[in-house]
Amino acid sequence: MRLYAFAALLASAVTAAPALAADLPPPVAPPPRAPAAYVPVAPPFTWTGIYVGVNGGYSWANWSDGFGDTFTPSDGWLVGATLGFNYQINQFVIGVEGDIDWSGMKWTQSAVFSDPFFGTAGASITNKDETLGTFAARFGYAMDRALLFVKAGGAWTHEVWDLSATNVLGATVTSSNSFDRFGWMVGAGLEYAITDNITVKGEYNFVDFGTSNENLSITAPTGGTLTGTVPSKLYMNVFKVGVNYLFH
């Protein structure tokens, strides 16, 4: 009897299962995936544009006169401003650049003359290259934010001679003469863009002013003027670093 009742209960459950399944809600689909965030691709860096900046460095100069005398070192610090323009074509960069710098380059030569009857006399000459300017074409190869470059062009310096002499009677006379010298330059360096607008650079320049005839004059205590011509040759080795702001 119990077996019969269990079998009847099992048959009733099997019969009711399809009806119960029909009453269940349909399966829920998984939620849609959120779209991936759009990340714009940054445009490649370009060196094209006008730039301005500051620069500074050190220079060693070799100055020699036409009498076989060489005065070295004539050296000093430089500090000044830069203005230029770049245009990039694929990985090649062409442009122009100008620098104007205050210069502390100078040398001093002194001499003392003794005479047993008249006494002692002396003279001193100080030569200074107070200003250095260059204007050059620049050619570079860009490796993204790094730029290797060479440059070539012209150069100018303002040179000052300060003369001082003491005669055997103790009278001292002084005079100052200034000249402009023009020459040529070549250079090479590396520039790197630390941001899209700010770049830093280091470079070496060789500057040659050739030989010039410099007319010197000094006024004597009596009012007369002594004049002379000194042929001189000048070249410089210049090392500079700089910071530029590039306008794209």
Side-chain angles (χ1 to χ4, degrees):
M1 186 66 178
R2 290 181 180 177
L3 182 61
Y4 175 78
F6 178 76
L9 179 63
L10 180 62
S12 175
V14 172
T15 304
L20 180 62
D23 293 337
L24 293 176
V28 178
R33 298 180 62 182
Y38 171 70
V39 179
V41 178
F45 179 79
T46 177
W47 287 92
T48 298
I50 297 173
Y51 59 92
V52 295
V54 294
N55 71 83
Y58 206 79
S59 176
W60 290 263
N62 183 295
W63 190 96
S64 58
D65 62 23
F67 310 110
D69 301 313
T70 299
F71 302 93
T72 55
S74 173
D75 57 354
W77 295 99
L78 302 168
V79 63
T82 302
L83 174 64
F85 173 75
N86 293 322
Y87 186 75
Q88 184 169 351
I89 306 171
N90 297 324
Q91 288 183 282
F92 297 97
V93 178
I94 59 175
V96 292
E97 181 177 87
D99 286 346
I100 184 71
D101 292 272
W102 168 88
S103 165
M105 289 181 289
K106 69 178 181 178
W107 59 262
T108 299
Q109 184 78 5
S110 300
V112 177
F113 309 95
S114 297
D115 184 270
F117 181 77
F118 292 103
T120 301
S124 175
I125 300 175
T126 298
N127 176 279
K128 298 179 289 186
D129 290 286
E130 293 184 334
T131 310
L132 175 63
T134 61
F135 182 80
R138 202 166 75 144
F139 307 92
Y141 184 82
M143 296 170 287
D144 191 24
R145 292 178 175 269
L147 177 67
L148 292 169
F149 64 87
V150 295
K151 58 194 296 189
W156 160 79
T157 187
H158 183 69
E159 192 169 270
V160 177
W161 287 59
D162 292 325
L163 312 176
S164 176
T166 303
N167 64 17
V168 294
L169 301 178
T172 300
V173 293
T174 60
S175 180
S176 182
N177 300 262
S178 61
F179 315 91
D180 290 314
R181 302 181 74 133
F182 300 90
W184 57 269
M185 62 81 62
V186 293
L190 171 65
E191 190 168 1
Y192 186 80
I194 57 178
T195 72
D196 286 346
N197 300 102
I198 298 177
T199 70
V200 294
K201 70 175 182 178
E203 65 179 88
Y204 164 76
N205 297 160
F206 176 80
V207 187
D208 192 338
F209 290 101
T211 301
S212 299
N213 290 320
E214 300 179 337
N215 298 315
L216 305 180
S217 65
I218 187 169
T219 302
T222 57
T225 300
L226 304 176
T227 61
T229 299
V230 177
S232 64
K233 184 176 182 178
L234 174 67
Y235 66 84
M236 302 176 182
N237 296 283
V238 183
F239 295 88
K240 292 192 290 188
V241 294
V243 179
N244 294 326
Y245 189 91
L246 176 62
F247 298 89
H248 294 292

